[in-house]
Amino acid sequence: MTRWQGIAAIMLAAAFMSGCDDQDSANSGNTDALSALAPAAGTSGDDGARTEAQTVDKVVDIVTAEVSTACLRELPEPSVASATPARLTLTLENFTYSFEEGRHRFTHDRRFKETTGIGLYIYRGKVCVEDAQVCADACVRYRVEPGGSLTQRGHHIATPVDPDRMTLQYWARDDAGNAFTIFREIRTDGETIKVSEN
């Protein structure tokens, strides 16, 4: 990995890990994009009442399975018995475009919604740019209450490439212990953006 790719990955992690502005089920968090690199101020413990971004020690050169396992270890034990797993949707909306510091920046809102009545934790996230080849992968801690939603306002993805293919992936575990992922592919061409689920 070159020095510039490392810097880009750290910038991606900072943008990726910015906090949450609003949650229908009463979570809140820090909106400063750089807060991802330091402990989140004013966050609560394992009670799930607030959103928490964990400290990121390593952003690059981490084996994917090790990241997932390390992030999952930090979650509380499953607390409900259910044959039906949680169902999580992710909507990316309200995109705005800017060109800053040599990068095409797409600011947007991310809305997670649980629809089966089983709460969940989103414990890991990964964003990739430059045809999904340059990635930032980090532990996060977002809580979505049963039947609730979590809206993160003002997130952004920035890329030096135009057009580009970017990916966004989150790992989650519901309160019954079921683990799953959610994935979005984002294609850009100038100021135009298209999101698909893939």
Side-chain angles (χ1 to χ4, degrees):
M1 174 174 290
T2 69
R3 177 176 175 258
W4 293 112
Q5 285 176 321
I7 291 169
I10 290 168
M11 290 174 63
L12 281 169
F16 176 73
M17 300 290 296
S18 62
C20 308
D21 284 343
D22 180 28
Q23 179 171 357
D24 297 342
S25 57
N27 281 355
S28 63
N30 191 337
T31 58
D32 181 359
L34 297 178
S35 68
L37 303 177
T43 57
S44 66
D46 290 338
D47 64 356
R50 308 239 359 226
T51 299
E52 187 172 306
Q54 298 173 346
T55 303
V56 179
D57 293 325
K58 290 185 179 179
V59 177
V60 293
D61 296 330
I62 300 175
V63 176
T64 301
E66 291 175 4
V67 171
S68 188
T69 302
C71 298
L72 191 56
R73 254 185 299 214
E74 300 296 322
L75 295 180
E77 291 297 317
S79 59
V80 300
S82 175
T84 304
R87 177 161 162 58
L88 182 66
T89 61
L90 171 59
T91 304
L92 307 178
E93 57 192 2
N94 302 324
F95 282 93
T96 59
Y97 172 83
S98 61
F99 189 77
E100 301 175 22
E101 299 177 4
R103 293 184 173 273
H104 304 273
R105 180 178 170 134
F106 296 89
T107 303
H108 59 280
D109 297 339
R110 297 177 189 172
R111 181 176 172 92
F112 300 93
K113 183 160 182 59
E114 195 289 315
T115 59
T116 61
I118 306 291
L120 61 93
Y121 285 97
I122 299 166
Y123 64 88
R124 177 181 167 205
K126 182 176 181 180
V127 63
C128 300
V129 299
E130 297 184 41
D131 199 30
Q133 299 299 308
V134 178
C135 301
D137 191 347
C139 294
V140 298
R141 185 144 180 188
Y142 307 136
R143 174 73 182 166
V144 181
E145 294 297 336
S149 64
L150 169 69
T151 299
Q152 300 175 314
R153 300 192 191 284
H155 269 270
H156 72 270
I157 296 179
T159 177
V161 180
D162 182 33
D164 198 6
R165 182 178 70 90
M166 302 177 276
T167 59
L168 179 63
Q169 186 172 8
Y170 286 100
W171 285 255
R173 197 208 64 206
D174 69 19
D175 292 347
N178 300 300
F180 51 94
T181 63
I182 192 162
F183 178 88
R184 295 291 178 268
E185 181 178 87
I186 303 163
R187 291 190 178 267
T188 63
D189 188 357
E191 296 182 25
T192 304
I193 191 160
K194 181 179 178 186
V195 178
S196 60
E197 293 187 18
N198 284 3

